[in-house]
Amino acid sequence: MKRNPTFFHKKISLLGSILVLGPVCLLAGCGGQIRSYESADIAMGTVLNQTVYTAGEDETGHIRELVRTLEKEELSFREPDSQVGAVNTYLSREGIFLEDADSAGGGVRVEVSEGLFTELSALYEISRASGGAFDFTLGALTRLWNMDAQAAGEAEVHIPGEEEIARALQNCGWEKVTLEDGHMLFSEKVLLDLGAAGKGIACDRIGDYLRETEVTGAVISVGGSVVTWGEKPDGSPWQVGIVDPETGEGILGTLSLTGEWYISTSGDYERYVEVDGIRYHHILNPENGYPARSGIRSVTVVCHSGLVSDALSTACFVLGREEGEKLAARYGAETVFVDDEGNIYLSEGLEGIFKPKEQP
Ligand code: FAD
Ligand code: MG
């Protein structure tokens, strides 16, 4: 039995060298010109890495707080007072579907903020378009697997049995939700889990925030989701590495991107345990409730929205290459698939933009 050490090693090594290097002047001997700021923090259960170029003040602290507030007040199911936490608590109340069903016209009605409603509507659409391969209502199933805690060694390794999985799946399903007029309407009990899109949503919110500042360029990663924004002072493209899924550590290649892009990667190397030689990872196939096995080790999605890139990377991992490429194309998104044998497949728009790492 083997636990995945990568996640926490990464955290520790990054924190060990916290990159608050102080500002570095880049132009004209610091005469009010562009400075760069770097930082590494923990947020959303992962590492938030920032490199920000600005003619104004250091924005890295504001961005860290923005991500932490988004987690605490809106997205985290672990925070009982977040909007997602509150929806889940409400839906878990004994008898709620009997008490509230009539007054709500056949379901339980919950109000969410305008911003979250817009994002949930987009996630609903991706759930539908992916045939449920991405599903934002998998909370009962993800909690049963509890893979974040298992992989981190914080919970006993336990591979759920078929009956447990079947029971959890009864409380999952995006079709049990309707979104209308700022409300969510639930025809049956489900639990929300936005873990597969939350870091992408954070990247979108960061992009929106940067537009209000004097920042001229930034590359910021929230775990496996990255936003590139604006320009580097020397005008060269941003370089975004794609992790080699074989080791979960080094990179297998680099995307060379100019301007504002959102990049998310889902892989089976992130959070997993191995039992009797079988890897049980955290990306679940909603059809059978088990970790998805589609012949893919990792998928990277590049597009103009963090939410879409993050949700699609999960959906594409579940669907596999053929169906995944079709789905991504419908969203105008570019993809890098890495299969079980280490073969790399690029969508057309990434030819010349993705460069494989040179072999030593
Ligand atoms: P992705 O592929 O983007 O997402 C996989 C995650 O989405 C799974 O972990 C599961 O939660 C869910 N999921 C699995 N299958 C599907 C599917 N088919 N459709 C939809 N969703 C699916 N981790 C911690 O260890 N501690 C924390 O306190 C913590 N807090 C977090 C708070 C927020 C707001 C967010 C967004 C994440 C947090 N995380 C935390 C991490 C989270 O639990 C997931 O492990 C992480 O988001 C997975 O991201 P990924 O990019 O590796 O994989
Ligand atoms: Mg995702």
PDB file of all heavy atoms in Angstrom, residues 305-340:
ATOM      1  N   SER A 305     -11.334  31.028 -20.279  1.00  0.00           N
ATOM      2  CA  SER A 305     -12.056  31.071 -19.002  1.00  0.00           C
ATOM      3  C   SER A 305     -11.468  30.031 -18.053  1.00  0.00           C
ATOM      4  O   SER A 305     -11.259  28.874 -18.435  1.00  0.00           O
ATOM      5  CB  SER A 305     -13.546  30.775 -19.260  1.00  0.00           C
ATOM      6  OG  SER A 305     -14.127  30.140 -18.139  1.00  0.00           O
ATOM      7  N   GLY A 306     -11.220  30.453 -16.807  1.00  0.00           N
ATOM      8  CA  GLY A 306     -10.688  29.521 -15.818  1.00  0.00           C
ATOM      9  C   GLY A 306     -11.705  28.455 -15.451  1.00  0.00           C
ATOM     10  O   GLY A 306     -11.377  27.273 -15.335  1.00  0.00           O
ATOM     11  N   LEU A 307     -12.947  28.879 -15.263  1.00  0.00           N
ATOM     12  CA  LEU A 307     -14.001  27.922 -14.923  1.00  0.00           C
ATOM     13  C   LEU A 307     -14.108  26.849 -15.993  1.00  0.00           C
ATOM     14  O   LEU A 307     -14.149  25.649 -15.696  1.00  0.00           O
ATOM     15  CB  LEU A 307     -15.330  28.667 -14.758  1.00  0.00           C
ATOM     16  CG  LEU A 307     -16.586  27.859 -14.479  1.00  0.00           C
ATOM     17  CD1 LEU A 307     -17.592  28.686 -13.684  1.00  0.00           C
ATOM     18  CD2 LEU A 307     -17.250  27.338 -15.748  1.00  0.00           C
ATOM     19  N   VAL A 308     -14.142  27.286 -17.254  1.00  0.00           N
ATOM     20  CA  VAL A 308     -14.312  26.322 -18.358  1.00  0.00           C
ATOM     21  C   VAL A 308     -13.083  25.416 -18.439  1.00  0.00           C
ATOM     22  O   VAL A 308     -13.214  24.194 -18.577  1.00  0.00           O
ATOM     23  CB  VAL A 308     -14.562  27.060 -19.697  1.00  0.00           C
ATOM     24  CG1 VAL A 308     -14.569  26.078 -20.861  1.00  0.00           C
ATOM     25  CG2 VAL A 308     -15.881  27.824 -19.637  1.00  0.00           C
ATOM     26  N   SER A 309     -11.871  25.973 -18.326  1.00  0.00           N
ATOM     27  CA  SER A 309     -10.682  25.124 -18.470  1.00  0.00           C
ATOM     28  C   SER A 309     -10.635  24.091 -17.343  1.00  0.00           C
ATOM     29  O   SER A 309     -10.331  22.918 -17.578  1.00  0.00           O
ATOM     30  CB  SER A 309      -9.395  25.961 -18.508  1.00  0.00           C
ATOM     31  OG  SER A 309      -9.140  26.555 -17.261  1.00  0.00           O
ATOM     32  N   ASP A 310     -10.982  24.497 -16.120  1.00  0.00           N
ATOM     33  CA  ASP A 310     -10.914  23.562 -14.996  1.00  0.00           C
ATOM     34  C   ASP A 310     -11.993  22.475 -15.110  1.00  0.00           C
ATOM     35  O   ASP A 310     -11.716  21.276 -14.989  1.00  0.00           O
ATOM     36  CB  ASP A 310     -11.060  24.346 -13.677  1.00  0.00           C
ATOM     37  CG  ASP A 310     -10.550  23.568 -12.475  1.00  0.00           C
ATOM     38  OD1 ASP A 310     -10.113  22.409 -12.642  1.00  0.00           O
ATOM     39  OD2 ASP A 310     -10.579  24.113 -11.357  1.00  0.00           O
ATOM     40  N   ALA A 311     -13.230  22.895 -15.360  1.00  0.00           N
ATOM     41  CA  ALA A 311     -14.311  21.905 -15.465  1.00  0.00           C
ATOM     42  C   ALA A 311     -14.067  20.967 -16.649  1.00  0.00           C
ATOM     43  O   ALA A 311     -14.272  19.745 -16.546  1.00  0.00           O
ATOM     44  CB  ALA A 311     -15.658  22.609 -15.611  1.00  0.00           C
ATOM     45  N   LEU A 312     -13.583  21.531 -17.770  1.00  0.00           N
ATOM     46  CA  LEU A 312     -13.351  20.675 -18.942  1.00  0.00           C
ATOM     47  C   LEU A 312     -12.190  19.710 -18.713  1.00  0.00           C
ATOM     48  O   LEU A 312     -12.200  18.590 -19.226  1.00  0.00           O
ATOM     49  CB  LEU A 312     -13.049  21.520 -20.188  1.00  0.00           C
ATOM     50  CG  LEU A 312     -14.229  22.192 -20.892  1.00  0.00           C
ATOM     51  CD1 LEU A 312     -13.748  22.857 -22.175  1.00  0.00           C
ATOM     52  CD2 LEU A 312     -15.357  21.216 -21.202  1.00  0.00           C
ATOM     53  N   SER A 313     -11.169  20.131 -17.949  1.00  0.00           N
ATOM     54  CA  SER A 313     -10.039  19.208 -17.747  1.00  0.00           C
ATOM     55  C   SER A 313     -10.524  17.966 -17.000  1.00  0.00           C
ATOM     56  O   SER A 313     -10.124  16.842 -17.314  1.00  0.00           O
ATOM     57  CB  SER A 313      -8.866  19.890 -17.028  1.00  0.00           C
ATOM     58  OG  SER A 313      -9.166  20.146 -15.679  1.00  0.00           O
ATOM     59  N   THR A 314     -11.426  18.171 -16.053  1.00  0.00           N
ATOM     60  CA  THR A 314     -11.982  17.023 -15.316  1.00  0.00           C
ATOM     61  C   THR A 314     -12.871  16.190 -16.241  1.00  0.00           C
ATOM     62  O   THR A 314     -12.755  14.959 -16.288  1.00  0.00           O
ATOM     63  CB  THR A 314     -12.784  17.539 -14.099  1.00  0.00           C
ATOM     64  OG1 THR A 314     -11.949  18.408 -13.347  1.00  0.00           O
ATOM     65  CG2 THR A 314     -13.255  16.384 -13.232  1.00  0.00           C
ATOM     66  N   ALA A 315     -13.752  16.873 -16.978  1.00  0.00           N
ATOM     67  CA  ALA A 315     -14.659  16.155 -17.892  1.00  0.00           C
ATOM     68  C   ALA A 315     -13.870  15.352 -18.920  1.00  0.00           C
ATOM     69  O   ALA A 315     -14.178  14.176 -19.189  1.00  0.00           O
ATOM     70  CB  ALA A 315     -15.569  17.150 -18.600  1.00  0.00           C
ATOM     71  N   CYS A 316     -12.821  15.969 -19.489  1.00  0.00           N
ATOM     72  CA  CYS A 316     -12.032  15.288 -20.531  1.00  0.00           C
ATOM     73  C   CYS A 316     -11.291  14.089 -19.949  1.00  0.00           C
ATOM     74  O   CYS A 316     -11.129  13.065 -20.625  1.00  0.00           O
ATOM     75  CB  CYS A 316     -11.015  16.248 -21.150  1.00  0.00           C
ATOM     76  SG  CYS A 316     -11.763  17.486 -22.212  1.00  0.00           S
ATOM     77  N   PHE A 317     -10.849  14.205 -18.707  1.00  0.00           N
ATOM     78  CA  PHE A 317     -10.174  13.071 -18.083  1.00  0.00           C
ATOM     79  C   PHE A 317     -11.138  11.885 -17.973  1.00  0.00           C
ATOM     80  O   PHE A 317     -10.775  10.739 -18.244  1.00  0.00           O
ATOM     81  CB  PHE A 317      -9.650  13.453 -16.685  1.00  0.00           C
ATOM     82  CG  PHE A 317      -8.760  12.403 -16.087  1.00  0.00           C
ATOM     83  CD1 PHE A 317      -7.386  12.525 -16.163  1.00  0.00           C
ATOM     84  CD2 PHE A 317      -9.301  11.269 -15.487  1.00  0.00           C
ATOM     85  CE1 PHE A 317      -6.558  11.534 -15.637  1.00  0.00           C
ATOM     86  CE2 PHE A 317      -8.491  10.279 -14.974  1.00  0.00           C
ATOM     87  CZ  PHE A 317      -7.111  10.416 -15.043  1.00  0.00           C
ATOM     88  N   VAL A 318     -12.375  12.177 -17.597  1.00  0.00           N
ATOM     89  CA  VAL A 318     -13.366  11.102 -17.430  1.00  0.00           C
ATOM     90  C   VAL A 318     -13.749  10.516 -18.797  1.00  0.00           C
ATOM     91  O   VAL A 318     -13.861   9.298 -18.961  1.00  0.00           O
ATOM     92  CB  VAL A 318     -14.625  11.635 -16.700  1.00  0.00           C
ATOM     93  CG1 VAL A 318     -15.726  10.575 -16.657  1.00  0.00           C
ATOM     94  CG2 VAL A 318     -14.260  12.092 -15.277  1.00  0.00           C
ATOM     95  N   LEU A 319     -13.907  11.392 -19.788  1.00  0.00           N
ATOM     96  CA  LEU A 319     -14.398  10.942 -21.096  1.00  0.00           C
ATOM     97  C   LEU A 319     -13.350  10.211 -21.920  1.00  0.00           C
ATOM     98  O   LEU A 319     -13.672   9.415 -22.788  1.00  0.00           O
ATOM     99  CB  LEU A 319     -14.888  12.158 -21.904  1.00  0.00           C
ATOM    100  CG  LEU A 319     -16.182  12.813 -21.427  1.00  0.00           C
ATOM    101  CD1 LEU A 319     -16.426  14.114 -22.190  1.00  0.00           C
ATOM    102  CD2 LEU A 319     -17.372  11.860 -21.610  1.00  0.00           C
ATOM    103  N   GLY A 320     -12.064  10.534 -21.678  1.00  0.00           N
ATOM    104  CA  GLY A 320     -11.010   9.979 -22.530  1.00  0.00           C
ATOM    105  C   GLY A 320     -10.794  10.869 -23.734  1.00  0.00           C
ATOM    106  O   GLY A 320     -11.480  11.887 -23.920  1.00  0.00           O
ATOM    107  N   ARG A 321      -9.813  10.467 -24.557  1.00  0.00           N
ATOM    108  CA  ARG A 321      -9.327  11.394 -25.576  1.00  0.00           C
ATOM    109  C   ARG A 321     -10.359  11.741 -26.650  1.00  0.00           C
ATOM    110  O   ARG A 321     -10.622  12.912 -26.918  1.00  0.00           O
ATOM    111  CB  ARG A 321      -8.065  10.820 -26.219  1.00  0.00           C
ATOM    112  CG  ARG A 321      -7.390  11.826 -27.107  1.00  0.00           C
ATOM    113  CD  ARG A 321      -6.108  11.300 -27.657  1.00  0.00           C
ATOM    114  NE  ARG A 321      -5.995  11.699 -29.028  1.00  0.00           N
ATOM    115  CZ  ARG A 321      -5.628  10.930 -30.020  1.00  0.00           C
ATOM    116  NH1 ARG A 321      -5.301   9.672 -29.804  1.00  0.00           N
ATOM    117  NH2 ARG A 321      -5.559  11.396 -31.245  1.00  0.00           N
ATOM    118  N   GLU A 322     -10.959  10.721 -27.243  1.00  0.00           N
ATOM    119  CA  GLU A 322     -11.808  10.981 -28.408  1.00  0.00           C
ATOM    120  C   GLU A 322     -12.987  11.895 -28.054  1.00  0.00           C
ATOM    121  O   GLU A 322     -13.193  12.949 -28.659  1.00  0.00           O
ATOM    122  CB  GLU A 322     -12.321   9.646 -28.949  1.00  0.00           C
ATOM    123  CG  GLU A 322     -12.686   9.713 -30.398  1.00  0.00           C
ATOM    124  CD  GLU A 322     -13.010   8.326 -30.916  1.00  0.00           C
ATOM    125  OE1 GLU A 322     -12.182   7.398 -30.711  1.00  0.00           O
ATOM    126  OE2 GLU A 322     -14.095   8.179 -31.476  1.00  0.00           O
ATOM    127  N   GLU A 323     -13.748  11.483 -27.029  1.00  0.00           N
ATOM    128  CA  GLU A 323     -14.914  12.274 -26.618  1.00  0.00           C
ATOM    129  C   GLU A 323     -14.478  13.607 -26.009  1.00  0.00           C
ATOM    130  O   GLU A 323     -15.121  14.639 -26.185  1.00  0.00           O
ATOM    131  CB  GLU A 323     -15.747  11.502 -25.579  1.00  0.00           C
ATOM    132  CG  GLU A 323     -16.469  10.304 -26.139  1.00  0.00           C
ATOM    133  CD  GLU A 323     -17.427  10.702 -27.248  1.00  0.00           C
ATOM    134  OE1 GLU A 323     -18.220  11.632 -27.031  1.00  0.00           O
ATOM    135  OE2 GLU A 323     -17.356  10.103 -28.336  1.00  0.00           O
ATOM    136  N   GLY A 324     -13.363  13.565 -25.262  1.00  0.00           N
ATOM    137  CA  GLY A 324     -12.863  14.771 -24.608  1.00  0.00           C
ATOM    138  C   GLY A 324     -12.472  15.839 -25.622  1.00  0.00           C
ATOM    139  O   GLY A 324     -12.780  17.024 -25.449  1.00  0.00           O
ATOM    140  N   GLU A 325     -11.784  15.415 -26.676  1.00  0.00           N
ATOM    141  CA  GLU A 325     -11.380  16.394 -27.703  1.00  0.00           C
ATOM    142  C   GLU A 325     -12.607  17.032 -28.359  1.00  0.00           C
ATOM    143  O   GLU A 325     -12.628  18.230 -28.622  1.00  0.00           O
ATOM    144  CB  GLU A 325     -10.503  15.715 -28.762  1.00  0.00           C
ATOM    145  CG  GLU A 325      -9.077  15.526 -28.271  1.00  0.00           C
ATOM    146  CD  GLU A 325      -8.185  14.778 -29.262  1.00  0.00           C
ATOM    147  OE1 GLU A 325      -8.711  14.158 -30.212  1.00  0.00           O
ATOM    148  OE2 GLU A 325      -6.970  14.807 -29.067  1.00  0.00           O
ATOM    149  N   LYS A 326     -13.643  16.222 -28.573  1.00  0.00           N
ATOM    150  CA  LYS A 326     -14.867  16.769 -29.196  1.00  0.00           C
ATOM    151  C   LYS A 326     -15.520  17.789 -28.270  1.00  0.00           C
ATOM    152  O   LYS A 326     -15.950  18.857 -28.699  1.00  0.00           O
ATOM    153  CB  LYS A 326     -15.872  15.635 -29.462  1.00  0.00           C
ATOM    154  CG  LYS A 326     -15.572  14.837 -30.703  1.00  0.00           C
ATOM    155  CD  LYS A 326     -16.734  13.901 -30.968  1.00  0.00           C
ATOM    156  CE  LYS A 326     -16.240  12.645 -31.642  1.00  0.00           C
ATOM    157  NZ  LYS A 326     -17.075  11.476 -31.439  1.00  0.00           N
ATOM    158  N   LEU A 327     -15.581  17.449 -26.987  1.00  0.00           N
ATOM    159  CA  LEU A 327     -16.207  18.361 -26.020  1.00  0.00           C
ATOM    160  C   LEU A 327     -15.433  19.675 -25.952  1.00  0.00           C
ATOM    161  O   LEU A 327     -16.020  20.765 -26.002  1.00  0.00           O
ATOM    162  CB  LEU A 327     -16.248  17.696 -24.637  1.00  0.00           C
ATOM    163  CG  LEU A 327     -16.785  18.572 -23.503  1.00  0.00           C
ATOM    164  CD1 LEU A 327     -18.283  18.844 -23.690  1.00  0.00           C
ATOM    165  CD2 LEU A 327     -16.548  17.908 -22.139  1.00  0.00           C
ATOM    166  N   ALA A 328     -14.110  19.578 -25.848  1.00  0.00           N
ATOM    167  CA  ALA A 328     -13.285  20.790 -25.737  1.00  0.00           C
ATOM    168  C   ALA A 328     -13.470  21.659 -26.981  1.00  0.00           C
ATOM    169  O   ALA A 328     -13.573  22.893 -26.880  1.00  0.00           O
ATOM    170  CB  ALA A 328     -11.826  20.413 -25.547  1.00  0.00           C
ATOM    171  N   ALA A 329     -13.527  21.026 -28.132  1.00  0.00           N
ATOM    172  CA  ALA A 329     -13.680  21.787 -29.381  1.00  0.00           C
ATOM    173  C   ALA A 329     -14.978  22.593 -29.368  1.00  0.00           C
ATOM    174  O   ALA A 329     -15.030  23.716 -29.877  1.00  0.00           O
ATOM    175  CB  ALA A 329     -13.637  20.840 -30.579  1.00  0.00           C
ATOM    176  N   ARG A 330     -16.024  22.037 -28.757  1.00  0.00           N
ATOM    177  CA  ARG A 330     -17.306  22.768 -28.679  1.00  0.00           C
ATOM    178  C   ARG A 330     -17.162  24.061 -27.888  1.00  0.00           C
ATOM    179  O   ARG A 330     -17.942  24.988 -28.045  1.00  0.00           O
ATOM    180  CB  ARG A 330     -18.381  21.885 -28.037  1.00  0.00           C
ATOM    181  CG  ARG A 330     -18.905  20.841 -29.006  1.00  0.00           C
ATOM    182  CD  ARG A 330     -19.739  19.803 -28.323  1.00  0.00           C
ATOM    183  NE  ARG A 330     -20.951  20.334 -27.728  1.00  0.00           N
ATOM    184  CZ  ARG A 330     -21.790  19.606 -27.000  1.00  0.00           C
ATOM    185  NH1 ARG A 330     -21.522  18.329 -26.782  1.00  0.00           N
ATOM    186  NH2 ARG A 330     -22.865  20.144 -26.489  1.00  0.00           N
ATOM    187  N   TYR A 331     -16.190  24.103 -26.986  1.00  0.00           N
ATOM    188  CA  TYR A 331     -15.952  25.310 -26.178  1.00  0.00           C
ATOM    189  C   TYR A 331     -14.799  26.153 -26.743  1.00  0.00           C
ATOM    190  O   TYR A 331     -14.353  27.094 -26.097  1.00  0.00           O
ATOM    191  CB  TYR A 331     -15.658  24.925 -24.724  1.00  0.00           C
ATOM    192  CG  TYR A 331     -16.907  24.532 -23.972  1.00  0.00           C
ATOM    193  CD1 TYR A 331     -17.410  23.237 -24.039  1.00  0.00           C
ATOM    194  CD2 TYR A 331     -17.610  25.473 -23.223  1.00  0.00           C
ATOM    195  CE1 TYR A 331     -18.568  22.880 -23.371  1.00  0.00           C
ATOM    196  CE2 TYR A 331     -18.769  25.130 -22.547  1.00  0.00           C
ATOM    197  CZ  TYR A 331     -19.241  23.831 -22.620  1.00  0.00           C
ATOM    198  OH  TYR A 331     -20.398  23.488 -21.962  1.00  0.00           O
ATOM    199  N   GLY A 332     -14.309  25.794 -27.908  1.00  0.00           N
ATOM    200  CA  GLY A 332     -13.180  26.521 -28.493  1.00  0.00           C
ATOM    201  C   GLY A 332     -11.921  26.376 -27.659  1.00  0.00           C
ATOM    202  O   GLY A 332     -11.051  27.250 -27.679  1.00  0.00           O
ATOM    203  N   ALA A 333     -11.822  25.278 -26.908  1.00  0.00           N
ATOM    204  CA  ALA A 333     -10.676  25.081 -26.011  1.00  0.00           C
ATOM    205  C   ALA A 333      -9.638  24.171 -26.655  1.00  0.00           C
ATOM    206  O   ALA A 333      -9.981  23.286 -27.443  1.00  0.00           O
ATOM    207  CB  ALA A 333     -11.140  24.470 -24.695  1.00  0.00           C
ATOM    208  N   GLU A 334      -8.377  24.418 -26.332  1.00  0.00           N
ATOM    209  CA  GLU A 334      -7.280  23.583 -26.840  1.00  0.00           C
ATOM    210  C   GLU A 334      -6.891  22.571 -25.759  1.00  0.00           C
ATOM    211  O   GLU A 334      -7.070  22.842 -24.563  1.00  0.00           O
ATOM    212  CB  GLU A 334      -6.070  24.456 -27.176  1.00  0.00           C
ATOM    213  CG  GLU A 334      -6.350  25.569 -28.174  1.00  0.00           C
ATOM    214  CD  GLU A 334      -6.681  25.050 -29.565  1.00  0.00           C
ATOM    215  OE1 GLU A 334      -6.349  23.881 -29.870  1.00  0.00           O
ATOM    216  OE2 GLU A 334      -7.274  25.810 -30.355  1.00  0.00           O
ATOM    217  N   THR A 335      -6.339  21.428 -26.184  1.00  0.00           N
ATOM    218  CA  THR A 335      -6.054  20.366 -25.209  1.00  0.00           C
ATOM    219  C   THR A 335      -4.690  19.712 -25.429  1.00  0.00           C
ATOM    220  O   THR A 335      -4.184  19.647 -26.556  1.00  0.00           O
ATOM    221  CB  THR A 335      -7.112  19.240 -25.324  1.00  0.00           C
ATOM    222  OG1 THR A 335      -7.208  18.846 -26.699  1.00  0.00           O
ATOM    223  CG2 THR A 335      -8.457  19.674 -24.814  1.00  0.00           C
ATOM    224  N   VAL A 336      -4.133  19.227 -24.329  1.00  0.00           N
ATOM    225  CA  VAL A 336      -2.984  18.318 -24.373  1.00  0.00           C
ATOM    226  C   VAL A 336      -3.394  17.064 -23.593  1.00  0.00           C
ATOM    227  O   VAL A 336      -3.648  17.153 -22.382  1.00  0.00           O
ATOM    228  CB  VAL A 336      -1.737  18.928 -23.689  1.00  0.00           C
ATOM    229  CG1 VAL A 336      -0.552  17.968 -23.803  1.00  0.00           C
ATOM    230  CG2 VAL A 336      -1.397  20.292 -24.269  1.00  0.00           C
ATOM    231  N   PHE A 337      -3.506  15.957 -24.272  1.00  0.00           N
ATOM    232  CA  PHE A 337      -3.802  14.683 -23.595  1.00  0.00           C
ATOM    233  C   PHE A 337      -2.513  13.876 -23.493  1.00  0.00           C
ATOM    234  O   PHE A 337      -1.747  13.810 -24.455  1.00  0.00           O
ATOM    235  CB  PHE A 337      -4.807  13.840 -24.404  1.00  0.00           C
ATOM    236  CG  PHE A 337      -6.236  14.267 -24.260  1.00  0.00           C
ATOM    237  CD1 PHE A 337      -6.718  15.376 -24.937  1.00  0.00           C
ATOM    238  CD2 PHE A 337      -7.111  13.560 -23.444  1.00  0.00           C
ATOM    239  CE1 PHE A 337      -8.048  15.774 -24.796  1.00  0.00           C
ATOM    240  CE2 PHE A 337      -8.431  13.946 -23.303  1.00  0.00           C
ATOM    241  CZ  PHE A 337      -8.900  15.058 -23.981  1.00  0.00           C
ATOM    242  N   VAL A 338      -2.299  13.255 -22.344  1.00  0.00           N
ATOM    243  CA  VAL A 338      -1.184  12.309 -22.194  1.00  0.00           C
ATOM    244  C   VAL A 338      -1.800  10.964 -21.846  1.00  0.00           C
ATOM    245  O   VAL A 338      -2.559  10.860 -20.864  1.00  0.00           O
ATOM    246  CB  VAL A 338      -0.219  12.746 -21.066  1.00  0.00           C
ATOM    247  CG1 VAL A 338       0.968  11.793 -20.993  1.00  0.00           C
ATOM    248  CG2 VAL A 338       0.254  14.177 -21.281  1.00  0.00           C
ATOM    249  N   ASP A 339      -1.513   9.957 -22.665  1.00  0.00           N
ATOM    250  CA  ASP A 339      -2.169   8.666 -22.407  1.00  0.00           C
ATOM    251  C   ASP A 339      -1.300   7.765 -21.523  1.00  0.00           C
ATOM    252  O   ASP A 339      -0.191   8.134 -21.123  1.00  0.00           O
ATOM    253  CB  ASP A 339      -2.602   7.998 -23.722  1.00  0.00           C
ATOM    254  CG  ASP A 339      -1.434   7.421 -24.519  1.00  0.00           C
ATOM    255  OD1 ASP A 339      -0.300   7.373 -23.992  1.00  0.00           O
ATOM    256  OD2 ASP A 339      -1.664   7.026 -25.673  1.00  0.00           O
ATOM    257  N   ASP A 340      -1.852   6.600 -21.246  1.00  0.00           N
ATOM    258  CA  ASP A 340      -1.203   5.626 -20.346  1.00  0.00           C
ATOM    259  C   ASP A 340       0.208   5.263 -20.785  1.00  0.00           C
ATOM    260  O   ASP A 340       1.026   4.853 -19.984  1.00  0.00           O
ATOM    261  CB  ASP A 340      -2.023   4.326 -20.323  1.00  0.00           C
ATOM    262  CG  ASP A 340      -3.244   4.468 -19.455  1.00  0.00           C
ATOM    263  OD1 ASP A 340      -3.293   5.444 -18.687  1.00  0.00           O
ATOM    264  OD2 ASP A 340      -4.140   3.609 -19.554  1.00  0.00           O
TER     265      ASP A 340
END
